[in-house]
Coordinates of all heavy atoms in Angstrom, one line a residue:
G9 N 0.8 -1.2 0.0 CA 0.0 0.0 0.0 C 0.9 1.2 0.0 O 2.1 1.2 0.2
Q10 N 0.2 2.3 -0.3 CA 0.9 3.6 -0.4 C 1.6 4.1 0.9 O 2.6 4.7 0.8 CB 0.0 4.7 -1.0 CG -0.3 4.4 -2.5 CD -0.5 5.7 -3.2 OE1 -1.4 6.5 -2.8 NE2 0.3 6.0 -4.1
K11 N 0.9 3.9 2.0 CA 1.5 4.4 3.2 C 2.8 3.7 3.6 O 3.7 4.2 4.1 CB 0.5 4.3 4.4 CG 0.0 3.0 4.8 CD -1.0 3.0 5.9 CE -1.5 1.6 6.2 NZ -2.8 1.6 6.7
Y12 N 2.9 2.4 3.1 CA 4.1 1.6 3.4 C 5.2 2.2 2.5 O 6.4 2.3 2.9 CB 3.9 0.1 3.2 CG 2.8 -0.4 4.1 CD1 1.8 -1.2 3.6 CD2 2.8 -0.1 5.5 CE1 0.8 -1.6 4.4 CE2 1.8 -0.6 6.3 CZ 0.8 -1.3 5.8 OH -0.2 -1.8 6.6
D13 N 4.9 2.5 1.2 CA 5.8 3.1 0.3 C 6.4 4.4 0.9 O 7.6 4.6 0.9 CB 5.2 3.4 -1.1 CG 4.8 2.1 -1.8 OD1 5.4 1.0 -1.5 OD2 4.0 2.2 -2.7
A14 N 5.5 5.2 1.4 CA 5.9 6.5 2.0 C 6.9 6.2 3.1 O 7.9 6.9 3.3 CB 4.7 7.3 2.4
A15 N 6.5 5.2 4.0 CA 7.3 4.9 5.1 C 8.7 4.5 4.7 O 9.7 4.9 5.3 CB 6.7 3.9 6.0
L16 N 8.7 3.6 3.7 CA 10.0 3.1 3.2 C 10.9 4.2 2.6 O 12.1 4.2 2.8 CB 9.8 1.9 2.2 CG 9.3 0.6 2.8 CD1 8.8 -0.3 1.7 CD2 10.3 0.0 3.7
I17 N 10.3 5.1 1.9 CA 11.0 6.2 1.3 C 11.6 7.0 2.4 O 12.8 7.4 2.4 CB 10.1 7.1 0.4 CG1 9.8 6.3 -0.9 CG2 10.7 8.4 0.1 CD1 8.6 6.9 -1.7
F18 N 10.8 7.3 3.4 CA 11.3 8.1 4.6 C 12.5 7.4 5.3 O 13.5 8.0 5.6 CB 10.1 8.3 5.5 CG 10.5 9.0 6.8 CD1 10.8 10.3 6.8 CD2 10.5 8.3 8.0 CE1 11.1 11.0 7.9 CE2 10.8 9.0 9.2 CZ 11.1 10.4 9.1
L19 N 12.3 6.1 5.5 CA 13.4 5.3 6.1 C 14.7 5.3 5.2 O 15.8 5.4 5.8 CB 12.9 3.9 6.4 CG 11.9 3.8 7.5 CD1 11.2 2.4 7.5 CD2 12.5 4.1 8.9
N20 N 14.5 5.2 3.9 CA 15.6 5.2 3.0 C 16.4 6.5 3.1 O 17.6 6.6 3.0 CB 15.2 4.8 1.6 CG 14.9 3.4 1.4 OD1 15.4 2.5 2.2 ND2 14.1 3.0 0.5
K21 N 15.6 7.6 3.2 CA 16.2 8.9 3.4 C 17.1 9.0 4.6 O 18.2 9.5 4.6 CB 15.1 10.0 3.5 CG 14.5 10.3 2.2 CD 15.1 11.6 1.6 CE 14.3 12.1 0.3 NZ 14.6 11.3 -0.9
I22 N 16.5 8.4 5.7 CA 17.3 8.4 7.0 C 18.6 7.6 6.8 O 19.7 8.0 7.2 CB 16.5 7.7 8.1 CG1 15.3 8.6 8.5 CG2 17.3 7.5 9.3 CD1 14.3 8.0 9.5
L23 N 18.5 6.5 6.1 CA 19.6 5.6 5.9 C 20.7 6.2 4.9 O 21.8 5.9 5.0 CB 19.2 4.2 5.4 CG 18.5 3.4 6.5 CD1 17.8 2.2 6.0 CD2 19.6 3.0 7.6
E24 N 20.2 7.1 4.0 CA 21.2 7.8 3.2 C 22.0 8.7 4.0 O 23.2 8.8 3.8 CB 20.4 8.7 2.2 CG 20.2 8.1 0.8 CD 19.3 8.9 0.0 OE1 19.5 10.2 -0.1 OE2 18.3 8.4 -0.6
L25 N 21.4 9.4 5.0 CA 22.2 10.3 5.9 C 23.0 9.5 6.9 O 24.0 10.0 7.4 CB 21.2 11.2 6.6 CG 20.4 12.1 5.6 CD1 19.3 12.9 6.4 CD2 21.3 13.1 4.9
D26 N 22.4 8.4 7.4 CA 23.0 7.7 8.5 C 22.9 6.2 8.2 O 22.0 5.5 8.6 CB 22.2 8.0 9.7 CG 22.7 7.3 11.0 OD1 23.7 6.6 10.9 OD2 22.0 7.4 12.0
P27 N 23.8 5.7 7.3 CA 23.8 4.3 6.8 C 23.8 3.2 7.9 O 23.3 2.1 7.6 CB 25.0 4.2 5.9 CG 25.4 5.6 5.7 CD 25.0 6.4 6.8
L28 N 24.2 3.5 9.1 CA 24.3 2.5 10.1 C 23.2 2.7 11.2 O 23.3 2.2 12.3 CB 25.7 2.6 10.8 CG 26.9 2.3 9.9 CD1 28.2 2.3 10.7 CD2 26.7 0.9 9.3
N29 N 22.1 3.3 10.8 CA 21.0 3.5 11.7 C 20.2 2.2 11.8 O 19.4 1.8 10.9 CB 20.1 4.6 11.1 CG 19.0 5.0 12.1 OD1 18.4 4.1 12.7 ND2 18.8 6.3 12.3
A30 N 20.5 1.5 12.9 CA 19.9 0.2 13.1 C 18.4 0.2 13.2 O 17.7 -0.7 12.8 CB 20.5 -0.5 14.3
E31 N 17.9 1.3 13.9 CA 16.5 1.4 14.1 C 15.7 1.6 12.8 O 14.7 1.0 12.6 CB 16.2 2.6 15.0 CG 15.3 2.3 16.1 CD 15.4 3.3 17.2 OE1 16.5 3.8 17.5 OE2 14.3 3.6 17.9
A32 N 16.3 2.3 11.9 CA 15.6 2.5 10.6 C 15.6 1.2 9.8 O 14.6 0.8 9.2 CB 16.4 3.6 9.7
K33 N 16.7 0.4 9.9 CA 16.8 -0.9 9.2 C 15.8 -1.9 9.9 O 15.1 -2.6 9.2 CB 18.2 -1.5 9.3 CG 19.2 -0.8 8.4 CD 20.5 -1.4 8.4 CE 21.6 -0.6 7.9 NZ 21.5 -0.3 6.5
L34 N 15.7 -1.8 11.2 CA 14.7 -2.7 11.9 C 13.3 -2.3 11.4 O 12.5 -3.2 11.1 CB 14.8 -2.5 13.4 CG 13.9 -3.4 14.2 CD1 14.4 -4.9 14.1 CD2 13.9 -3.0 15.7
C35 N 13.0 -1.0 11.3 CA 11.6 -0.6 10.9 C 11.4 -1.1 9.4 O 10.3 -1.5 9.1 CB 11.5 0.9 10.9 SG 11.4 1.6 12.6
K36 N 12.4 -1.0 8.6 CA 12.2 -1.5 7.2 C 11.9 -3.0 7.2 O 11.0 -3.4 6.6 CB 13.5 -1.2 6.4 CG 13.6 0.2 5.8 CD 14.8 0.3 5.0 CE 14.7 -0.4 3.6 NZ 15.9 0.0 2.7
G37 N 12.7 -3.7 8.0 CA 12.4 -5.1 8.2 C 11.0 -5.4 8.6 O 10.3 -6.3 8.1
E38 N 10.5 -4.6 9.6 CA 9.2 -4.9 10.1 C 8.1 -4.5 9.1 O 7.1 -5.2 9.1 CB 9.0 -4.1 11.4 CG 9.9 -4.8 12.5 CD 9.7 -4.1 13.9 OE1 9.4 -2.9 14.0 OE2 10.0 -4.8 14.9
I39 N 8.3 -3.5 8.3 CA 7.4 -3.2 7.2 C 7.3 -4.4 6.2 O 6.2 -4.9 5.9 CB 7.7 -1.9 6.5 CG1 7.4 -0.7 7.5 CG2 6.8 -1.7 5.3 CD1 7.9 0.6 7.0
Y40 N 8.5 -4.8 5.8 CA 8.5 -6.0 4.8 C 7.9 -7.2 5.4 O 7.1 -7.9 4.8 CB 9.9 -6.3 4.4 CG 10.5 -5.3 3.4 CD1 11.8 -4.7 3.7 CD2 9.9 -4.9 2.3 CE1 12.3 -3.8 2.8 CE2 10.4 -4.0 1.4 CZ 11.6 -3.4 1.7 OH 12.2 -2.5 0.8
H41 N 8.2 -7.4 6.7 CA 7.8 -8.7 7.4 C 6.3 -8.6 7.7 O 5.5 -9.5 7.3 CB 8.6 -8.7 8.7 CG 8.2 -9.8 9.6 ND1 8.8 -9.9 10.9 CD2 7.4 -10.8 9.6 CE1 8.3 -10.9 11.5 NE2 7.4 -11.5 10.8
R42 N 5.8 -7.6 8.4 CA 4.4 -7.6 9.0 C 3.4 -7.0 8.0 O 2.3 -7.4 8.0 CB 4.4 -6.9 10.3 CG 5.5 -7.3 11.2 CD 5.1 -7.1 12.7 NE 6.2 -7.5 13.5 CZ 6.5 -8.8 13.8 NH1 5.6 -9.8 13.4 NH2 7.5 -9.1 14.6
C43 N 3.8 -6.1 7.2 CA 2.9 -5.3 6.4 C 2.8 -5.9 4.9 O 1.8 -6.0 4.3 CB 3.2 -3.9 6.3 SG 3.4 -3.2 8.0
L44 N 4.0 -6.2 4.4 CA 4.1 -6.6 3.0 C 4.3 -8.1 2.8 O 4.3 -8.7 1.7 CB 5.2 -5.9 2.3 CG 5.0 -4.3 2.4 CD1 6.3 -3.6 1.8 CD2 3.8 -3.8 1.7
Q45 N 4.5 -8.8 3.9 CA 4.8 -10.3 3.9 C 5.9 -10.6 2.9 O 5.9 -11.7 2.2 CB 3.6 -11.1 3.6 CG 2.7 -11.4 4.8 CD 1.8 -10.2 5.1 OE1 1.1 -9.7 4.3 NE2 1.7 -9.8 6.4
D46 N 6.9 -9.7 2.7 CA 8.0 -10.0 1.9 C 9.2 -10.5 2.7 O 10.0 -9.7 3.2 CB 8.4 -8.7 1.1 CG 9.5 -8.9 0.1 OD1 10.3 -9.9 0.2 OD2 9.7 -8.0 -0.8
Y47 N 9.1 -11.8 3.0 CA 10.0 -12.3 4.0 C 11.5 -12.3 3.6 O 12.4 -12.1 4.4 CB 9.6 -13.7 4.4 CG 8.2 -13.8 5.0 CD1 7.2 -14.5 4.4 CD2 7.9 -13.0 6.0 CE1 5.9 -14.5 4.9 CE2 6.6 -12.9 6.5 CZ 5.6 -13.7 6.0 OH 4.3 -13.7 6.5
A48 N 11.8 -12.5 2.3 CA 13.2 -12.4 1.9 C 13.8 -11.0 2.2 O 14.9 -10.9 2.7 CB 13.2 -12.7 0.4
R49 N 13.0 -10.0 1.8 CA 13.5 -8.6 2.1 C 13.6 -8.3 3.6 O 14.5 -7.7 4.0 CB 12.6 -7.6 1.4 CG 12.9 -7.4 0.0 CD 12.6 -6.0 -0.4 NE 13.1 -5.7 -1.7 CZ 12.3 -5.2 -2.7 NH1 11.0 -5.0 -2.5 NH2 12.8 -5.0 -3.9
A50 N 12.6 -8.8 4.3 CA 12.6 -8.7 5.8 C 13.9 -9.3 6.4 O 14.6 -8.6 7.2 CB 11.4 -9.3 6.4
V51 N 14.2 -10.5 6.0 CA 15.4 -11.2 6.5 C 16.6 -10.5 6.2 O 17.5 -10.3 7.0 CB 15.4 -12.7 6.0 CG1 16.8 -13.3 6.2 CG2 14.3 -13.5 6.6
E52 N 16.7 -9.9 5.0 CA 17.8 -9.1 4.5 C 18.1 -7.9 5.5 O 19.2 -7.7 5.9 CB 17.6 -8.7 3.1 CG 18.8 -8.1 2.4 CD 18.4 -7.5 1.1 OE1 17.5 -8.0 0.4 OE2 18.9 -6.4 0.7
Q53 N 17.0 -7.2 5.8 CA 17.1 -6.1 6.7 C 17.5 -6.5 8.1 O 18.3 -5.9 8.7 CB 15.7 -5.3 6.8 CG 15.4 -4.6 5.5 CD 16.4 -3.6 5.0 OE1 17.0 -2.9 5.8 NE2 16.7 -3.5 3.7
Y54 N 16.8 -7.6 8.6 CA 17.1 -8.0 10.0 C 18.6 -8.5 10.0 O 19.2 -8.2 11.1 CB 16.2 -9.2 10.4 CG 14.7 -8.8 10.5 CD1 13.7 -9.7 10.2 CD2 14.4 -7.6 11.1 CE1 12.4 -9.3 10.4 CE2 13.1 -7.2 11.3 CZ 12.1 -8.1 10.9 OH 10.7 -7.7 11.1
N55 N 19.1 -9.1 9.0 CA 20.5 -9.5 9.0 C 21.4 -8.3 9.1 O 22.4 -8.3 9.8 CB 20.8 -10.3 7.7 CG 20.7 -11.8 7.9 OD1 20.9 -12.3 9.0 ND2 20.2 -12.5 6.9
K56 N 21.1 -7.2 8.4 CA 21.9 -6.0 8.4 C 21.8 -5.4 9.8 O 22.9 -5.0 10.3 CB 21.3 -4.9 7.4 CG 21.6 -5.3 6.0 CD 21.0 -4.2 5.1 CE 21.3 -4.6 3.6 NZ 20.7 -3.6 2.7
V57 N 20.7 -5.5 10.5 CA 20.6 -5.0 11.8 C 21.5 -5.8 12.7 O 22.2 -5.2 13.5 CB 19.1 -5.1 12.4 CG1 19.0 -4.7 13.9 CG2 18.2 -4.1 11.6
L58 N 21.4 -7.1 12.6 CA 22.3 -8.0 13.5 C 23.8 -7.7 13.2 O 24.5 -7.7 14.2 CB 21.9 -9.5 13.2 CG 20.5 -9.9 13.6 CD1 20.3 -11.3 13.2 CD2 20.3 -9.6 15.1
R59 N 24.1 -7.4 12.0 CA 25.5 -7.2 11.7 C 26.0 -5.9 12.3 O 27.1 -5.8 12.8 CB 25.8 -7.1 10.2 CG 26.0 -8.4 9.5 CD 26.8 -8.3 8.3 NE 26.1 -7.5 7.3 CZ 25.2 -7.9 6.4 NH1 24.8 -9.2 6.5 NH2 24.6 -7.1 5.6
I60 N 25.2 -4.8 12.4 CA 25.6 -3.6 12.9 C 25.3 -3.4 14.4 O 25.7 -2.3 14.9 CB 25.1 -2.3 12.1 CG1 23.6 -2.3 12.1 CG2 25.7 -2.3 10.7 CD1 23.0 -1.1 11.3
T61 N 24.6 -4.3 15.0 CA 24.3 -4.1 16.4 C 25.1 -5.2 17.3 O 24.5 -5.6 18.3 CB 22.8 -4.2 16.7 OG1 22.4 -5.5 16.2 CG2 22.1 -3.1 16.1
G62 N 26.3 -5.5 16.9 CA 27.1 -6.4 17.8 C 27.4 -5.7 19.1 O 27.5 -6.4 20.1
D63 N 27.4 -4.4 19.1 CA 27.8 -3.7 20.3 C 26.6 -3.6 21.3 O 25.5 -3.8 21.0 CB 28.2 -2.2 20.0 CG 27.1 -1.5 19.4 OD1 26.3 -2.0 18.6 OD2 26.9 -0.3 19.7
K64 N 26.9 -3.4 22.6 CA 26.0 -3.4 23.7 C 24.9 -2.2 23.5 O 23.8 -2.3 24.0 CB 26.7 -3.2 25.0 CG 27.3 -4.5 25.5 CD 26.3 -5.5 26.1 CE 26.9 -6.9 26.3 NZ 26.4 -7.9 25.4
G65 N 25.4 -1.1 22.9 CA 24.5 0.0 22.8 C 23.1 -0.2 22.2 O 22.2 0.4 22.6
S66 N 23.1 -1.2 21.3 CA 21.8 -1.4 20.6 C 21.2 -2.8 20.9 O 20.7 -3.4 20.0 CB 21.9 -1.1 19.1 OG 23.3 -1.1 18.7
E67 N 21.4 -3.2 22.1 CA 21.0 -4.6 22.5 C 19.5 -4.9 22.2 O 19.2 -5.9 21.7 CB 21.4 -4.9 23.9 CG 21.5 -6.4 24.1 CD 22.2 -6.7 25.5 OE1 21.4 -6.6 26.5 OE2 23.3 -7.1 25.5
A68 N 18.7 -3.9 22.6 CA 17.2 -4.1 22.4 C 16.9 -4.3 21.0 O 16.1 -5.1 20.6 CB 16.5 -2.9 23.0
I69 N 17.5 -3.5 20.1 CA 17.3 -3.6 18.7 C 17.8 -4.9 18.1 O 17.1 -5.6 17.4 CB 18.0 -2.4 17.9 CG1 17.3 -1.1 18.3 CG2 17.9 -2.6 16.4 CD1 17.9 0.1 17.7
H70 N 18.9 -5.3 18.6 CA 19.5 -6.6 18.2 C 18.5 -7.7 18.6 O 18.3 -8.6 17.7 CB 20.8 -6.8 19.0 CG 21.6 -8.0 18.5 ND1 22.6 -7.8 17.4 CD2 21.7 -9.3 18.8 CE1 23.1 -9.0 17.2 NE2 22.6 -9.9 18.0
L71 N 18.0 -7.7 19.8 CA 17.1 -8.8 20.2 C 15.8 -8.8 19.5 O 15.3 -9.8 19.1 CB 16.8 -8.6 21.7 CG 18.1 -8.9 22.6 CD1 17.7 -8.6 24.1 CD2 18.6 -10.3 22.5
R72 N 15.3 -7.6 19.1 CA 14.1 -7.5 18.3 C 14.3 -8.1 16.9 O 13.4 -8.8 16.4 CB 13.6 -6.1 18.2 CG 12.8 -5.7 19.5 CD 12.4 -4.2 19.5 NE 11.6 -3.8 18.3 CZ 11.3 -2.5 18.0 NH1 11.9 -1.6 18.7 NH2 10.6 -2.3 17.0
A73 N 15.4 -7.8 16.3 CA 15.7 -8.3 15.0 C 15.8 -9.8 15.1 O 15.3 -10.5 14.2 CB 17.0 -7.7 14.4
R74 N 16.5 -10.3 16.1 CA 16.7 -11.7 16.3 C 15.4 -12.5 16.4 O 15.1 -13.5 15.8 CB 17.5 -12.0 17.6 CG 18.9 -12.4 17.4 CD 19.1 -13.3 18.6 NE 20.2 -14.2 18.3 CZ 21.5 -13.9 18.8 NH1 21.7 -12.8 19.4 NH2 22.4 -14.8 18.5
A75 N 14.5 -11.9 17.3 CA 13.2 -12.5 17.5 C 12.4 -12.5 16.3 O 11.7 -13.5 16.0 CB 12.5 -11.7 18.6
A76 N 12.4 -11.4 15.5 CA 11.7 -11.4 14.2 C 12.1 -12.4 13.2 O 11.3 -13.0 12.6 CB 11.7 -9.9 13.7
M77 N 13.5 -12.6 13.2 CA 14.0 -13.6 12.3 C 13.5 -15.0 12.7 O 13.2 -15.7 11.8 CB 15.6 -13.6 12.4 CG 16.2 -12.4 11.8 SD 16.5 -12.7 10.0 CE 18.2 -13.4 10.1
A78 N 13.5 -15.2 14.0 CA 13.1 -16.5 14.5 C 11.6 -16.8 14.1 O 11.3 -17.9 13.6 CB 13.3 -16.6 16.0
E79 N 10.9 -15.7 14.1 CA 9.4 -15.8 13.8 C 9.3 -16.1 12.3 O 8.4 -17.0 11.9 CB 8.8 -14.4 14.0 CG 7.4 -14.4 14.5 CD 6.9 -13.0 14.7 OE1 7.4 -12.3 15.7 OE2 6.1 -12.5 13.9
I80 N 10.1 -15.5 11.5 CA 10.0 -15.8 10.0 C 10.4 -17.2 9.7 O 9.8 -17.9 9.0 CB 10.8 -14.8 9.2 CG1 10.2 -13.4 9.3 CG2 11.0 -15.2 7.8 CD1 11.0 -12.3 8.6
M81 N 11.5 -17.6 10.4 CA 12.0 -19.0 10.2 C 10.9 -20.0 10.5 O 10.7 -21.0 9.9 CB 13.2 -19.3 11.0 CG 14.4 -18.5 10.5 SD 14.7 -18.6 8.7 CE 15.5 -17.1 8.4
E82 N 10.2 -19.7 11.6 CA 9.1 -20.5 12.1 C 8.0 -20.6 11.0 O 7.5 -21.7 10.7 CB 8.6 -19.9 13.4 CG 7.6 -20.8 14.2 CD 8.3 -21.8 15.0 OE1 9.6 -21.9 15.1 OE2 7.6 -22.7 15.5
L83 N 7.6 -19.4 10.5 CA 6.6 -19.3 9.5 C 6.9 -20.1 8.3 O 6.1 -20.7 7.7 CB 6.4 -17.9 9.0 CG 5.6 -16.9 9.8 CD1 5.8 -15.5 9.3 CD2 4.1 -17.3 9.8
L84 N 8.2 -20.1 7.9 CA 8.6 -20.7 6.6 C 8.9 -22.2 6.8 O 9.1 -22.9 5.8 CB 9.8 -19.9 6.0 CG 9.6 -18.5 5.7 CD1 10.8 -17.8 5.2 CD2 8.4 -18.3 4.8
S85 N 9.0 -22.7 8.0 CA 9.4 -24.1 8.2 C 8.3 -25.0 8.0 O 7.1 -24.6 8.1 CB 10.1 -24.3 9.6 OG 9.1 -24.0 10.6

């Protein structure tokens, strides 16, 4: 839907300015996952989140991405 397109454009703008913004990547993952059911793209975003959130600073985001990935794996199994 159009509101998701608008959200993705907005998130992409944030990521242009701040490529390592884990929260924006998590949001993109959640839109692909929950709104668009595009699991391949969602997994790609969640993987990016996991790669850039190895540090303690973004533990909550890391855990959310992990949980979402597990959920998708469950769905697809």
Side-chain angles (χ1 to χ4, degrees):
Q10 285 211 301
K11 62 181 179 212
Y12 303 127
D13 291 342
L16 288 168
I17 288 166
F18 178 69
L19 291 165
N20 286 335
K21 285 261 186 284
I22 293 173
L23 288 163
E24 264 171 48
L25 300 170
D26 180 7
L28 296 180
N29 188 315
E31 225 159 328
K33 289 183 195 298
L34 184 69
C35 287
K36 279 181 74 172
E38 289 182 336
I39 291 173
Y40 287 129
H41 174 185
R42 309 205 183 279
C43 309
L44 303 173
Q45 277 82 48
D46 184 340
Y47 300 123
R49 279 209 169 127
V51 164
E52 190 187 326
Q53 291 302 320
Y54 293 144
N55 269 325
K56 287 179 180 178
V57 173
L58 294 176
R59 273 204 302 275
I60 60 179
T61 56
D63 61 323
K64 286 280 170 248
S66 17
E67 203 168 78
I69 294 176
H70 190 90
L71 293 175
R72 276 173 61 192
R74 252 212 159 99
M77 287 274 269
E79 213 180 292
I80 291 175
M81 293 311 154
E82 192 79 7
L83 276 172
L84 299 180
S85 64

